[in-house]
Amino acid sequence: MNVNNFKLKNPVCLAPMAGVTLRPLREFFVRLGVAAVHTEMISCAGLYRNNLKTLDMLETSSMEQPVIVQLFAPEDKILCAGAEAALKHNNNFAGFGINMACPMPKITRNGSGSALLKNPDTAFNMTRELKKFGLPVWVKIRRLESLDETLKFIELIASAGADNICLHGRTAAQRYEGTADRNFVRIAAEKFPGLIGASGDVKTKHDILEYINYGCVNVMIARGAIANPWLVCEGLDILGYNKFNGVTSEQQVKSIYELGKAAELEIGERQAVVLIKRMAAGLLKGMAGAAALRQRAGCSNNLNELLNIFAEIIK
Ligand SMILES: Cc1cc2nc3c(=O)[nH]c(=O)nc-3n(C[C@H](O)[C@H](O)[C@H](O)COP(=O)(O)O)c2cc1C
């Protein structure tokens, strides 16, 4: 599959999620079959000021390709300074992402994230200037109040050279509440063939199929992947990639084990336990005695105890 000049092996991608799409989690989802993963959004101001914590967010591994590095900035000069610093630190990225979607005040306050939806000229310049680095540019936006405004914004960003425009069907004012309006995504996908990625309420394999049937080139799984990581496999299966048939429960459990151990190294045992517990309900979905296992997982105090629950399932 070719998303402009970026080859994807299938249309199922992992969305960027701040505080969640850390390297171990990205590797886990690559093992399950996603075609691309995103870093969490990274501050360009932090990158060009060489903030060590921000630079750390750029680390990737060979187990998680292709990776899109998602950046946020209020304007093109800061964006490009950040992009340059990012590539100097790590030039293994398959593409850049620009965050024009985040509604949180700490991001929009200085003109970044979804504040750019109200500032189309700046958004255009950012896309055009970032393209000059030669990597594919994926822009993530939210729907605006009206369809007409949304389509105009997409047209502008497309004309600046964006290779993929992921449309989340909620307005910035909705934040993460309410439902995502699929009609906006459907009409955008019809109007801009080969350009639109979908985000918003991707909870079941049918949601994935629906977005693809609209003509979206790819679907970004976000909270649905945390609630049910196997959604990736189920989505690939319904799209005809036959991934799910090939994954045994032993392999599922092994991948959870690897996720837990990798997360422990990356973020420490306490955070790794929080991450696995957060995903436990979804991870245990469909396994025999899931309810009792979930309860045990909830009560586990350390990583080994938690991972042993999964190991026992294979035995
Ligand atoms: C915890 C969390 C963190 C997120 N962080 C980012 C981010 O860094 N960049 C971004 O573009 N979107 C971010 N998003 C938005 C998701 O990528 C996605 O567009 C949104 O959750 C809608 O999809 P869903 O309804 O299927 O969850 C985040 C969402 C969540 C829940």
Side-chain angles (χ1 to χ4, degrees), residues 15-21 39-42 70 98-102 140 142 166 168 170 176 180 199-203 220-224 278:
M17 281 181 279
V20 178
T21 50
T39 65
E40 33 182 350
M41 60 178 166
I42 302 180
Q70 198 198 53
I98 310 178
N99 185 319
M100 299 190 189
C102 181
K140 192 154 173 293
R142 283 180 177 243
C166 174
H168 176 182
R170 289 185 178 85
Y176 296 97
S199 175
D201 290 338
V202 183
K203 295 176 191 159
M220 310 275 194
I221 312 189
R223 286 172 292 184
R278 199 168 164 188

Side-chain angles (χ1 to χ4, degrees), residues 79-93:
L79 178 72
C80 291
E84 198 176 329
L87 291 187
K88 220 188 233 163
H89 192 79
N90 180 354
N91 68 2
N92 290 315
F93 294 112

Side-chain angles (χ1 to χ4, degrees), residues 23 26 39-60 69 71 81-91 93 266:
R23 191 175 48 178
R26 299 194 302 258
T39 65
E40 33 182 350
M41 60 178 166
I42 302 180
S43 158
C44 284
L47 289 177
Y48 81 77
R49 287 189 195 123
N50 279 324
N51 179 304
L52 290 183
K53 251 179 128 173
T54 314
L55 288 170
D56 267 357
M57 295 166 87
L58 294 169
E59 296 303 330
T60 59
V69 55
L71 303 173
E84 198 176 329
L87 291 187
K88 220 188 233 163
H89 192 79
N90 180 354
N91 68 2
F93 294 112
E266 181 92 8

Side-chain angles (χ1 to χ4, degrees), residues 99-104 108 113-118 140-150 166-185 199-201 211 223:
N99 185 319
M100 299 190 189
C102 181
M104 305 318 276
T108 55
S114 63
L116 289 160
L117 300 172
K118 294 188 194 125
K140 192 154 173 293
I141 67 170
R142 283 180 177 243
R143 61 159 274 219
L144 287 110
E145 281 302 329
S146 76
L147 181 61
D148 194 43
E149 284 173 290
T150 308
C166 174
L167 176 57
H168 176 182
R170 289 185 178 85
T171 60
Q174 275 180 281
R175 296 198 179 175
Y176 296 97
E177 307 293 321
T179 49
D181 192 325
R182 286 179 192 213
N183 240 3
F184 277 65
V185 181
S199 175
D201 290 338
Y211 277 130
R223 286 172 292 184

Side-chain angles (χ1 to χ4, degrees), residues 17-18 29 41 46 55 66 74 76 83 121 150 153 169 171 191 227 240-241 257 299 306:
M17 281 181 279
F29 280 106
M41 60 178 166
L55 288 170
D76 60 293
D121 291 344
T150 308
F153 192 87
T171 60
K191 190 161 168 139
Y241 289 86
Y257 216 88
C299 298
L306 189 56

